[in-house]
Structure formats: C-alpha cells, structure tokens
Amino acid sequence: MEENNKKQHRKRHSGPKAGKKQKRHLKDLGLEDEEDARKRNPKAFAVQSAVRMARTFHRTQDLKTKKHHIPVVDRAPLEPPPVVVVVVGPPKVGKSTLIKCLIRNFTRQKLVEIRGPVTIVSGKKRRLTIIECGCDINTMIDLAKIADLVLMLIDASFGFEMETFEFLNICQVHGFPKIMGILTHLDTFKNNKQLKKTKKRLKHRFWTEVYQGAKLFYLSGMVHGEYQKQEIHNLGRFISVMKFRPLTWQTSHPYVLADR
C-alpha cells in the first residue's frame, strides 16, 4: 500500500541537465538541434520584416534610455533644512485637524491652536515644517514657490473645488512640487458601493490633474474629533521616508523662508 502512495520521479524538462540530455537524444536519432540548423541554413533564421525589426530595436533602446537617471548635484548642506509640507484645501475640509493629528503622531503632543508654521522632527535626519495654506491667492503663490511636498485635501462628499484647481495652476508655473491627495469626509457615505464609485472617480480625476499614478490617501472617518490613528501613522511614515529630487525652478530662484 505504501509503495503505491509514493510519488513517481518526474523528469527534468528544463535546465542544463535536461538540455544536455536533449542534445544526446537528437544525436542518437540523427537529428540536429536549432543551433546546428542556424549554422547550416542562416537564411532561414534571417530577419523576415525590416519594419518589425526596427520597431523592436527602437523599443529596446527606449527602455534602456528610460532606465538612465540624470545625475543630480545635491547642494543640500550637511544639516539639511526642514522639508516644507504645505497643507492645501478649501475651507472646512479638515486642514487644521490633519496638521494637529500629524503633530500628535510625531511628537505625542496635543496642539490646541495652530498659529503659523510648525516645525517637527520626523526622523534622525529629517525635520518637517508644516504650513497651512489659506484660500488667499497671494498665500497660494508664496507657498507654491517654496513647497517640497503638497498635501492636497479633497472633500469626497463634494468633489474638487475651485481652490484646488487654482493651486494646481500656480504650481505648474512654479516648478511643480510633489503632490499627494488626501480624501476626507468619507464617513458621510452610508452606501459602500457609492463610496467605492466615488473613490475611483476622484482618483482618476486627480490623476488627470496631477499625473498618472499620483498617491492618494483615504481618511475614512473621525473618532472623537480626530482622524484614525493608523491612517495618520501610515501617512506620517510615508512623508518621513519620501525622497525629494531638487527642483530646477527652486534652485534657480533663491528664497528665504522666515519661520515666525
């Protein structure tokens, strides 16, 4: 009974051993493998279509050049300046709440009121300066020039508003910093199907405005006037490990940021 239960030995179909065996087998039968046939009749293995061959060649070259990175001269000092994180969004979307939650996540301190920029330590070699952007056009222009990362808050129950498009247009002129979308007010949806549909629609609209594959975070709801701890922790982790390439526009336009 035990003999029948044993698995039969399966022959190798690929690998160096199987290749050698195949060659020996073909030799015994008096046949030749593909390599010998190529030597004997090279015309049969020549390029059939010049156009197709050219296309394949161009494609491989394109893929190769895509892998090349332009070397970036890092002019940052030994002690790098804080990463400027700008929180943008229309009124009553949850900007102040998000800043308070991020500060609590990094410092374990509860901030009652935000009066201007807040600088916190997020890692061994990284500090973050979080600035809330109002709906004033002058503030938007000033912050678009200095921002390293933009957290763009979008009210999921309403959709994109005029302020969002205004700020995106300003960013396009000023070197376009890294932009991350954050969907809030997702707890207003009672129907799960409707929520899924809205998420998908807003994600694709966000990709159209920013770029394909832009990061979009979802803040599902609030507990005791704050966003959920795990979601804020994930967002904070994402910000603290994010890599920034120096923007040409910012390096060619020097500026001084006074943290009052």
Side-chain angles (χ1 to χ4, degrees):
M1 189 69 184
E2 280 178 24
E3 292 294 318
N4 296 344
N5 288 345
K6 279 182 182 176
K7 278 187 180 177
Q8 283 186 332
H9 174 69
R10 285 160 70 180
K11 289 178 184 175
R12 278 189 174 276
H13 296 293
S14 61
K17 254 189 179 177
K20 281 177 187 174
K21 223 171 192 180
Q22 181 77 8
K23 268 188 178 178
R24 276 207 304 274
H25 180 63
L26 289 170
K27 210 174 187 182
D28 293 341
L29 293 172
L31 300 167
E32 54 195 348
D33 62 346
E34 197 182 323
E35 208 172 294
D36 296 331
R38 202 178 282 250
K39 284 176 189 170
R40 185 176 53 77
N41 189 5
K43 234 179 189 181
F45 293 91
V47 176
Q48 299 296 319
S49 167
V51 178
R52 195 189 297 155
M53 188 63 193
R55 272 188 199 150
T56 314
F57 174 74
H58 286 312
R59 181 168 160 69
T60 48
Q61 290 305 311
D62 284 348
L63 289 170
K64 271 182 189 174
T65 48
K66 261 187 191 174
K67 285 176 186 174
H68 294 161
H69 287 291
I70 303 161
V72 176
V73 181
D74 191 18
R75 291 190 177 88
L78 205 65
E79 183 68 37
V83 173
V84 179
V85 181
V86 176
V87 182
V88 185
K92 300 284 176 192
V93 80
K95 297 191 289 290
S96 303
T97 314
L98 179 71
I99 294 170
K100 284 174 191 172
C101 290
L102 280 170
I103 291 163
R104 181 136 189 219
N105 175 58
F106 285 117
T107 63
R108 305 283 180 270
Q109 299 291 320
K110 204 170 187 180
L111 209 66
V112 181
E113 196 183 348
I114 294 157
R115 301 175 188 168
V118 182
T119 304
I120 51 175
V121 177
S122 68
K124 283 180 184 175
K125 291 183 180 177
R126 180 167 286 189
R127 291 172 295 157
L128 303 175
T129 296
I130 305 170
I131 307 171
E132 187 180 337
C133 180
C135 297
D136 172 32
I137 195 87
N138 297 320
T139 316
M140 283 184 178
I141 292 166
D142 287 342
L143 290 176
K145 289 175 184 176
I146 61 160
D148 293 310
L149 172 68
V150 175
L151 298 180
M152 192 159 273
L153 271 75
I154 301 149
D155 187 345
S157 60
F158 190 86
F160 284 88
E161 293 186 45
M162 205 63 227
E163 285 87 353
T164 313
F165 294 118
E166 288 267 341
F167 193 81
L168 282 168
N169 286 342
I170 294 162
C171 281
Q172 279 170 347
V173 186
H174 300 111
F176 214 84
K178 267 200 173 176
I179 294 178
M180 260 167 59
I182 297 169
L183 282 187
T184 60
H185 295 90
L186 291 171
D187 49 343
T188 53
F189 292 91
K190 300 289 174 243
N191 187 356
N192 210 22
K193 202 175 182 183
Q194 186 65 33
L195 173 66
K196 238 180 180 180
K197 247 185 180 178
T198 312
K199 273 185 181 178
K200 196 176 181 182
R201 182 172 53 82
L202 289 172
K203 181 176 76 175
H204 285 287
R205 187 77 182 90
F206 185 66
W207 285 1
T208 310
E209 288 303 321
V210 184
Y211 58 85
Q212 284 293 311
K215 190 73 184 164
L216 193 65
F217 267 90
Y218 305 112
L219 297 179
S220 52
M222 294 179 87
V223 181
H224 306 302
E226 286 185 348
Y227 293 115
Q228 289 182 22
K229 254 187 184 178
Q230 192 55 49
E231 291 173 347
I232 293 293
H233 178 73
N234 292 344
L235 177 63
R237 176 98 186 104
F238 204 87
I239 295 167
S240 58
V241 297
M242 192 180 269
K243 286 179 182 164
F244 298 97
R245 283 174 73 82
L247 294 172
T248 321
W249 197 91
Q250 280 186 12
T251 47
S252 56
H253 295 75
Y255 60 90
V256 174
L257 174 60
D259 189 349
R260 50 180 178 74

